[in-house]
Structures are given as structure tokens and as C-alpha cells.
Amino acid sequence: MSVESGNTPVRIDVKKDKGIEIQWSDGEVAHYALSKLRAGCPCALCKEAREKPAQPKSRLTVLPGNYAKPMHIAQAQLVGNYALKIEWSDNHDSGIYSFAYLRTLSG
């Protein structure tokens, strides 16, 4: 997977209790809140939960983002030169956030 021009991070700053800040090669600096990153987890399980229609008689729909404890990033690591893998404090760690996907979240 190639990263389009402007979608290459120059600097990635992981603030485990606040989110991630990325400076992109085109000069844009994007801030990603923990709640937005966790709720937008691109793994198959989270994606399916977001796309599943709500039950008609259900009062509460549980989706990524409904947590009992404060969320933080336990660990983040680069995946090749195209993505970040984030391990969350709720032990969820299957989301690989491609730089192209992160760039769409910044706009």
C-alpha cells in the first residue's frame, strides 16, 4: 500500500491519556482525540458493530466508545511505513490505523 503525497507523517506524538498528534508532510497538524480513535477503530469487529442496525426495541446500543473506565492508549507502534497499531486500555488491540485512514479522520 502506498501512501499518497501529503499522507506521510513527519512526526507522530502519542499522548497516552489525550490522543495522538500527527504532523503530515504537507504541513497539516492533526489532533486525534482518544474517543474518536477508539470509536473509529478500523478492525473487523468494531466496524461490524458500528454498521449493525440498532435493535428496534433496544434502549441501549453498545458500540465501541461506551466504556466504564477512562480510556487511554496502552501502547502504539508503527506497522511498516503505512500504519499505527494501537493497544487500548480495554485490552482491544486488533485495530491497525493506516495513515490514509487517519488522514480521513482529520478532516
Side-chain angles (χ1 to χ4, degrees), residues 51-90:
E51 294 172 354
K52 186 177 181 180
Q55 299 299 322
K57 294 185 180 186
S58 175
R59 289 179 166 206
L60 176 65
T61 301
V62 178
L63 291 173
N66 296 338
Y67 310 108
K69 296 180 181 179
M71 185 61 51
H72 68 272
I73 295 172
Q75 183 177 337
Q77 59 187 346
L78 288 172
V79 177
N81 62 354
Y82 73 94
L84 277 177
K85 182 175 190 223
I86 299 175
E87 180 181 334
W88 294 96
S89 57
D90 65 355

Side-chain angles (χ1 to χ4, degrees), residues 9-89:
V10 175
R11 181 183 52 79
I12 301 172
D13 185 12
V14 177
K15 299 173 183 172
K16 293 184 176 190
D17 294 328
K18 294 183 181 179
I20 295 175
E21 181 178 281
I22 298 177
Q23 180 179 352
W24 297 97
S25 57
D26 66 358
E28 181 182 338
V29 177
H31 305 273
Y32 302 90
L34 293 174
S35 58
K36 186 173 187 174
L37 288 170
R38 182 61 183 90
C41 177
C43 81
L45 181 65
C46 291
K47 191 173 182 182
E48 182 180 321
R50 282 192 305 273
E51 294 172 354
K52 186 177 181 180
Q55 299 299 322
K57 294 185 180 186
S58 175
R59 289 179 166 206
L60 176 65
T61 301
V62 178
L63 291 173
N66 296 338
Y67 310 108
K69 296 180 181 179
M71 185 61 51
H72 68 272
I73 295 172
Q75 183 177 337
Q77 59 187 346
L78 288 172
V79 177
N81 62 354
Y82 73 94
L84 277 177
K85 182 175 190 223
I86 299 175
E87 180 181 334
W88 294 96
S89 57

